[in-house]
Every structure is written in C-alpha cells, then in structure tokens.
Amino acid sequence: MELEGKRIIVTGSARGMGAGTVRAYVKAGANVVGMDVLDEQGAAVSAEASAQGPGTAGYLHVDVADQGSVERAFAEAVAELGGLDGLAHPAAIHRTSDAGEVSVEDWDLMFAVNVRGTMLTNQVAHRHMKASGGGSIINFGSISGQRPEPTAAAYSTAKGAVHSWTRTAAGTWGKDNIRVNAILPAMATPMYYEALGKASDEQREANNRLNLSTIFMGGKYGDPDKDLGPVMVFLASDASWFITGQLIAVDGGQTSVR
C-alpha cells in the first residue's frame, strides 16, 4: 500500500473527502496535484500537506464540468508530475429535491458537474495514464445512487449514472492496465451539512431515518482522514491492481451494493 513516487491528481481537493485524500496520499509518499474551484482553500490544503510530507502536493484550478478546463489543468499537472498514475475524483455538488418538484436547472447542473465531470476527468486521465503504462481511477458514487432518495432526486439519479459509467470505463480500459472503481462513502463533509441545512424539517427527519440509523459502526458518519484515507491509499496503490469495475461502500455498513 505504499505510494512512494506515485503521481496522482485529486479533484475536489479544497475540503471534505478531497482534502482528506490529498493528505492521505502525501502521507503515503505520493506526489499530488489537487484541483478545485475553491482556489484559496485548495492551495492551503496542498501547502499544509506538502509541509507534512513525505510526498508533495501542488494545486491547480479546474471546473470539472468544462472540457477545456479539464484538458488544460490535467495537462499542466501531468507536466509537473512527469506522468500520471492515479486519479481520485471526489468533486461533486449536492442539492435537495423532491421527484415531483426538481427543477430543470438543478437537474442539468447535477448532471453537468457529477456525471459529465466524471466522464471528462476520467477520459483525460485515461489518456495520460495509458501513456504512463496504466493506473487507478477512483470515482465517487453514493448510496443515493443505489436506493430511492426522496430528499435528493436529481443527486440520486446522477450518482446512479456515475456507477454505470464506472463499470463501463473499467470494462473498456482494462486492456490499458487501467482499473476504475467507485467509492460509496458515508463521511461527515461540509457539502453534506450544507445540503442538510437547506432541507425542510421533514427532509431532515427522513435523512436521519435513512442514514444515521443504518450505520452499524457507531451510528454516525465517518471521518474523511481516519476512515476514508486508508481506503483511498489502498485503491491507488499496486496492492489493488486486480480490483476493477467495483462499487465499494465505505459507510459503516449502511448499504450493500449487491
């Protein structure tokens, strides 16, 4: 599970699971470029991780929904790193929405960032990884893509699409020595609490019934550094070379992907 010398891009690196992933990779010896739209926070996360070492972390701006932005940022990162061995792609957005009331604007935004963003980052990473001899792509799905989600209709549908994309990309790129998996996490993150803060009392009650009561390991969301970081290191390392096309729940027993 060592990552010494591995060259990895992490999207959504400014906070939450992306920030935890940057810290975990640098601690394991990888050379990382974090990317986000929150530039001040993203740069601070990378600088702090680099100061701890033993790996390094830089930072670049990217809009994952924009093809030109992804192409430019990834090309610059690969030039800095000298190649690409891994992509961790936590970047995503969340909106609460009822199936009968979800707006076209929220629907399109959710698919632009969460689905198109996954496709674009994966495609560009594949090209660079193929030139480097292979690697690991780690997407971020969700239990929301596995079950009815009355408080987040568009988000649930988008994450289901990420799951399907992950399986298809894995089946397509295995010949290039590139594995593609998706994490389904249940972590305490700013994005989750921001979305919950905008929910109605009824939606929050439904969330507690669906989520906290079904987490067997302590009944609360996990910590991105302690509970997710080691899994991200494993999936980026050569130890996971024979795992691909999988949806891997890191959620304290909240769901089964069967």
Side-chain angles (χ1 to χ4, degrees):
M1 286 179 58
E2 292 299 317
L3 297 182
E4 184 175 355
K6 292 288 188 185
R7 303 156 298 182
I8 306 174
I9 291 172
V10 180
T11 69
S13 67
R15 58 184 191 163
M17 292 182 287
T21 299
V22 170
R23 290 189 287 266
Y25 285 169
V26 172
K27 186 177 181 180
N31 297 317
V32 179
V33 174
M35 298 184 181
D36 210 302
V37 294
L38 302 173
D39 295 330
E40 186 175 344
Q41 292 172 254
V45 167
S46 289
E48 290 166 8
S50 277
Q52 295 295 317
T56 65
Y59 176 79
L60 292 169
H61 177 92
V62 75
D63 175 358
V64 298
D66 181 83
Q67 185 172 9
S69 179
V70 174
E71 293 275 5
R72 288 189 296 272
F74 276 49
E76 185 174 346
V78 171
E80 290 180 10
L81 294 169
L84 189 64
D85 304 303
L87 166 67
H89 180 55
I93 59 172
H94 190 287
R95 296 287 188 278
T96 55
S97 60
D98 178 273
E101 299 174 358
V102 59
S103 68
V104 170
E105 291 76 18
D106 271 1
W107 182 272
D108 288 349
L109 181 63
M110 206 67 55
F111 271 75
V113 176
N114 294 352
V115 184
R116 187 200 306 158
T118 299
M119 178 195 73
L120 290 173
T121 57
N122 285 198
Q123 285 180 334
V124 178
H126 162 258
R127 188 169 70 244
H128 290 295
M129 283 184 200
K130 183 178 179 180
S132 296
S136 174
I137 295 173
I138 308 163
N139 292 323
F140 273 61
S142 173
I143 186 176
S144 295
Q146 297 287 101
R147 68 182 184 189
E149 197 69 85
T151 64
Y155 179 78
S156 171
T157 308
K159 286 300 184 178
V162 170
H163 299 170
S164 293
W165 165 266
T166 295
R167 296 187 188 99
T168 297
T172 305
W173 297 335
K175 66 182 184 301
D176 300 321
N177 197 34
I178 295 170
R179 56 198 188 275
V180 190
N181 295 290
I183 291 290
L184 281 62
M187 300 292 142
T189 67
M191 185 178 78
Y192 168 75
Y193 289 114
E194 286 168 5
L196 199 60
K198 297 175 183 177
S200 66
D201 289 342
E202 182 180 351
Q203 288 173 326
R204 282 192 288 271
E205 183 180 346
N207 173 75
N208 288 337
R209 286 198 308 271
L210 282 169
N211 294 316
L212 300 184
S213 64
T214 59
I215 297 176
F216 306 142
M217 302 299 289
K220 62 181 181 179
Y221 284 96
D223 178 84
D225 289 88
K226 180 173 69 74
D227 299 316
L228 180 64
V231 180
M232 297 301 292
V233 170
F234 168 67
L235 288 175
S237 76
D238 294 339
S240 63
W241 77 274
F242 206 52
I243 299 174
T244 195
Q246 302 304 307
L247 308 181
I248 300 169
V250 187
D251 64 2
Q254 188 181 50
T255 189
S256 169
V257 297
R258 293 194 302 273

